Structures are given as C-alpha cells and as structure tokens.
Amino acid sequence: MPIATPEIYADMLDRAKNGSFAYPAINITSSQTITAAIRGFAEAGSDGIIQVSTGGGEYASGSTIKDMVAGSLALAAYAEQVAKNYPVNIALHTDHCPENKLDGFVRPLLAASTERVKAGGLPIFQSHMWDGSAVPLEENLRIADELLALCRAANVILEIEVGVVGGEEDGVDNEINDQLYTTPEDAIATVKALGSGEEGRYLTALTFGNVHGVYKPGNVTLRPEILKSAQEAAAGELGLGPDARPFDLVFHGGSGSTAEEIAAAVDYGVVKMNVDTDTQYAFSRPVAEWMLRNFDGVLKIDGEVGNKKQYDPRAWGKEAEAGMARRVVEACENLRSAGTHQA
C-alpha cells in the first residue's frame, strides 16, 4: 500500500488507542532495513511506523557525506516505492532530534513537506520528534509550541519528550538515575502549553524509567503507573473524567522490558513503542552466522577463489532481512498490533 496519508496515520493512532494496542516504530538506516521492517509488519498483519534518526540519515547519505537531510529524504523515497507492494499501512517518522540539530534536520524536512503540501501533495514524513529532554521544561515546551504550528501547517504530527530517557542513543547520553520519571506537574504543564489537539496533534513520550540500549529484564526499573498518573493529571486539567487518556503516549527505551510492563504501558495510552536495539541485533546476528558457517566460501583462503554465491550480498542479505522481520513480528505480537490491519 502507499505510505500512509495524514488521515490514515491519524486513524492508525486512534485505532491503537481505542483498541489498547501500540505500533512498533522500527529504526531504519538502509534499503535493506526498510524492506525487513515492512516485511515484518506485513507478516504480522499490522500497520507500522519506520523511523530515521539523525545518525541514520547521515549514514544513508553516504558515510563520507553525512548529510542527514539528504539521507532521510533518500530513505523516505525508497520506502515510498517499496511500501506499495505490501498490504499494510506504513508511516514515516523522524526519531530523536536535540535542539542543536533542529535547524539541520527537522526544520528542513518540515519545510520540504510544507512545500509539497502547498503544491497539492502529501507530506514526506508523517511525524517528527523534537527531543527537548536536555533543556528545561519551559524551554522544551516553548520550542514544542513553535514546532507544533509548523507541523500543523504541513499536516504532520509532532512527537515530544517530557522527561529524560537514560542510556545512550545516537550520541545522546543520559545518566540512569531517579530523574528518569515524569511528574504529574510536568503533564499539566504540557497540556497548558500545547493543548489537547486543537492546536495540532502531538505524541508525548513521558519517561517512567526508560533506558536506551541493551539491558536484561530486571536491570531497569520501569514504573508504568507513572503514565496513569500523568493521564489523570492531564485529564483533570482539561476537565475530563478520571478514566480519560488525553495523551497519545510513546514508549522509548524498551529493550529489556517485561511483557507485563509493556502491556501496562499500552493500557495507559501508549500507541507507539520505539524498537531499535533489538532489531539491530536481529538483523546482524544472521549475517554473523552466515559468515561463520560459510567461512571458506566468503573468504579467498590460500589463493582459492571462494564461492561467489556465498559472498554475494544478496545471499547473506536475505538472511538478515528475514531475521529482522521475525523480530518485528514479535514486537507486533508483544504490543498487540498483530492482526489489527484494516483493509
């Protein structure tokens, strides 16, 4: 199917929230990882989200070029062509963007989408993330308000982060400590600054102990009940009932989370969960196995010629694609989005 329109993306998020499931958001860096992610969504019978980070955009532009906008546009163009052949809806998103990269990443991409929308077309990306976790909340929300207006003009959804995710991703490194928990007061400040959708739709990544990177279950202390408290605080501020879930929530740093923690987060309003570390490993592991199993074929040892069928990138690439696709299916099952696609 074609890349999701803004209307289809909004419907995806609404169905997730109303149906108590969430979409995996899979980081992609290449044509192979795009194909693997979309294949996984199709095999799970789930719509899904693929996303580009600043580092992923740089890499895709060429390792000696490092132009994150050019790389992101290239990945989006490839996804736009490939997604047509799969029976699910795919939304394109840009991942964590700190303040010092807004002018070199999100703003130019938003400008490109605005141009296309003014000409009667569709936005290139369906949502963009502003990562204000490193600045004071007041400044975070001031920048978010400015970006929300730009996103609304481009028919794009904004994602914000209120709180700090620990660990490291794309060079952003935060300590793992007691600061990793969003407060009800933070939630109230957010709806006061950005409203509840009337000024433009936004997704909110609240922090409840989330950590980027690789951690075994039990090594990270998640407190999903914080999401419940934030929803209740925002609902009270907006004059809604105590069971309302005004925030469309995002779960960052989910590696090592238990099935129970994931289920609780989804029940409290998570509609999108970032999955990167696990899918990186799922893509790379089959390649390592292939190379070790076919050692004599992939290397020209002792003057021999090797075996072209074994070092052909298409041979090991198919293994990598299948491995990553399987992990995407697993993520869909864990988040209860498997089988939810509506034709």
Side-chain angles (χ1 to χ4, degrees), residues 201-215:
R201 187 165 188 169
Y202 62 95
L203 307 174
T204 310
L206 302 179
T207 56
F208 53 105
N210 324 51
V211 176
H212 288 134
V214 185
Y215 297 88

Side-chain angles (χ1 to χ4, degrees), residues 70-241:
S72 299
L73 292 174
L75 292 171
Y78 180 84
E80 194 172 340
Q81 292 302 314
V82 170
K84 296 176 184 177
N85 299 314
Y86 290 87
V88 290
N89 296 306
I90 301 296
L92 299 177
H93 175 78
T94 60
D95 199 10
H96 291 266
C97 181
E99 185 179 15
N100 65 342
K101 293 185 178 179
L102 281 173
D103 288 342
F105 189 56
V106 166
R107 288 193 175 104
L109 290 173
L110 265 175
S113 280
T114 302
E115 226 177 281
R116 205 154 91 160
V117 168
K118 284 181 178 177
L122 297 170
I124 300 166
F125 286 87
Q126 286 66 60
S127 52
H128 292 288
M129 186 197 173
W130 146 235
D131 183 353
S133 61
V135 301
L137 182 62
E138 185 177 351
E139 184 180 355
N140 180 351
L141 294 175
R142 178 187 62 76
I143 294 171
D145 185 49
E146 172 209 331
L147 292 171
L148 186 61
L150 295 175
C151 285
R152 186 180 185 184
N155 210 0
V156 165
I157 293 172
L158 178 68
E159 179 183 329
I160 64 169
E161 184 167 322
V162 179
V164 180
V165 175
E168 189 274 335
E169 181 175 58
D170 259 6
V172 179
D173 197 353
N174 293 313
E175 289 185 28
I176 300 172
N177 54 36
D178 290 340
Q179 302 302 310
L180 306 182
Y181 302 99
T182 304
T183 67
E185 291 73 25
D186 295 337
I188 291 171
T190 300
V191 293
K192 279 184 174 180
L194 304 180
S196 58
E198 66 277 5
E199 300 300 324
R201 187 165 188 169
Y202 62 95
L203 307 174
T204 310
L206 302 179
T207 56
F208 53 105
N210 324 51
V211 176
H212 288 134
V214 185
Y215 297 88
K216 293 180 180 179
N219 286 7
V220 176
T221 305
L222 289 178
R223 294 168 54 194
E225 67 275 9
I226 282 178
L227 302 180
K228 182 175 183 289
S229 298
Q231 294 280 32
E232 290 172 346
E237 178 65 26
L238 295 168
L240 303 175

